[in-house]
């Protein structure tokens, strides 16, 4: 019975995600509500995940609003924490969504997208798919930031992404190895370790 109530609430939230008028605030709060519920629902999340991911795609392609990107990244962050969601996430375009968010110039969106990718990239298929979406370019761009914590998250993602054998070739082709070599000589021990 509690599950049915959750289902009704989530259905209402999802319907708000695809309203056609300019209801950015409503859409943003719908995403935040879903992200917060995702933290607690765990296995029940699977029933709603495909529809939610489709709606996030629609929302991200229909607006360039930083608040929507932040909320979408936060939702993906909470969803990707659960390894059991990774196959569904891969099938419904999460690698592309994360890459799209990382391409923006909004540090808060990028922060949450990096954390989502950190969880998602331990899954070999997801890591490979993200690299195929040309997301490496954006991660390497983040390494040039002055934001220490953001750089650390990007380095963690790059470490996870470099593990699958199929990604190693793309790293050499698409990655900026010079920046990694530079970071290996960093004064920050943690940066040096993660860059190695």
């Amino acid at each position: 019975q509690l599950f049915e109530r959750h289902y009704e609430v989530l259905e209402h939230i999802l319907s708000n995600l695809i309203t056609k008028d300019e209801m950015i605030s409503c859409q943003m709060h719908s995403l935040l509500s879903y992200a917060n519920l995702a933290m607690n629902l765990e296995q029940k999340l699977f029933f709603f995940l495909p529809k939610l991911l489709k709606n996030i795609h629609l929302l991200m392609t229909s607006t360039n609003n930083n608040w929507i990107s932040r909320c979408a990244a936060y939702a993906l962050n909470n969803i990707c924490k659960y390894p059991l969601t990774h196959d569904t996430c891969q099938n419904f375009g999460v690698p592309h969504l994360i890459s799209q968010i990382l391409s923006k110039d909004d540090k808060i969106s990028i922060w949450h997208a990096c954390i989502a990718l950190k969880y998602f990239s331990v899954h070999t298929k997801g890591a490979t798919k993200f690299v195929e979406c040309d997301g490496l370019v954006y991660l390497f761009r983040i390494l040039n930031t002055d934001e220490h914590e953001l750089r650390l998250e990007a380095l963690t993602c790059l470490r996870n992404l470099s593990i699958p054998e199929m990604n190693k070739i793309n790293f050499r082709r698409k990655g900026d190895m010079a920046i990694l070599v530079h970071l290996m000589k960093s004064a920050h021990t943690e940066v040096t370790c993660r860059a190695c």
Side-chain angles (χ1 to χ4, degrees):
Q1 192 174 5
L2 181 62
F3 172 73
E4 287 173 11
R5 260 188 252 142
H6 277 299
Y7 182 80
E8 288 170 16
V9 170
L10 289 174
E11 279 297 306
H12 180 69
I13 290 168
L14 291 173
S15 68
N16 284 331
L17 288 179
I18 51 172
T19 51
K20 293 189 168 47
D21 52 2
E22 292 294 321
M23 294 182 63
I24 295 294
S25 179
C26 179
Q27 294 166 335
M28 182 180 74
H29 286 93
S30 294
L31 275 172
L32 285 175
S33 299
Y34 193 91
N36 288 328
L37 284 169
M39 291 170 59
N40 300 313
L41 289 179
E42 298 186 31
Q43 299 229 351
K44 295 178 178 74
L45 178 67
F46 300 114
F47 293 99
F48 316 104
L49 195 53
K51 188 172 179 182
L52 173 72
L53 294 173
K54 285 179 185 176
N55 289 334
I56 291 175
H57 269 289
L58 286 172
L59 212 49
M60 290 293 294
T61 54
S62 67
T63 181
N64 200 24
N65 183 291
N66 279 343
W67 284 103
I68 293 294
S69 293
R70 289 173 184 182
C71 295
Y74 177 63
L76 292 173
N77 173 354
N78 287 341
I79 291 164
C80 290
K81 282 180 187 174
Y82 303 110
L84 293 174
T85 66
H86 291 180
D87 283 336
T88 305
C89 286
Q90 181 197 328
N91 295 336
F92 285 88
V94 166
H96 177 73
L97 268 176
I98 293 173
S99 180
Q100 185 181 357
I101 294 168
L102 290 175
S103 72
K104 298 185 176 298
D105 287 326
D106 182 63
K107 289 178 183 174
I108 297 171
S109 299
I110 291 170
W111 169 263
H112 284 295
C114 277
I115 294 172
L117 181 59
K118 177 174 67 176
Y119 294 127
F120 186 66
S121 60
V122 298
H123 181 76
T124 302
K125 290 178 186 174
T128 306
K129 193 70 176 168
F130 177 80
V131 171
E132 288 171 4
C133 291
D134 292 327
L136 280 180
V137 175
Y138 307 116
L139 279 176
F140 277 100
R141 184 182 75 184
I142 294 166
L143 296 182
N144 290 310
T145 185
D146 292 334
E147 301 285 331
H148 179 68
E149 294 300 320
L150 194 53
R151 186 184 298 140
L152 287 174
E153 291 299 334
L155 283 168
T156 301
C157 292
L158 286 168
R159 181 194 60 213
N160 291 351
L161 292 167
S162 70
I163 294 171
E165 208 52 49
M166 292 179 6
N167 284 354
K168 293 185 189 321
I169 295 168
N170 283 324
F171 259 77
R172 288 193 292 272
R173 288 184 188 156
K174 300 176 183 180
D176 183 358
M177 295 300 135
I179 185 73
L180 283 177
V181 171
H182 173 73
L183 291 174
M184 286 178 194
K185 301 171 188 172
S186 171
H188 298 284
T189 308
E190 198 170 2
V191 170
T192 304
C193 290
R194 294 193 196 189
C196 289

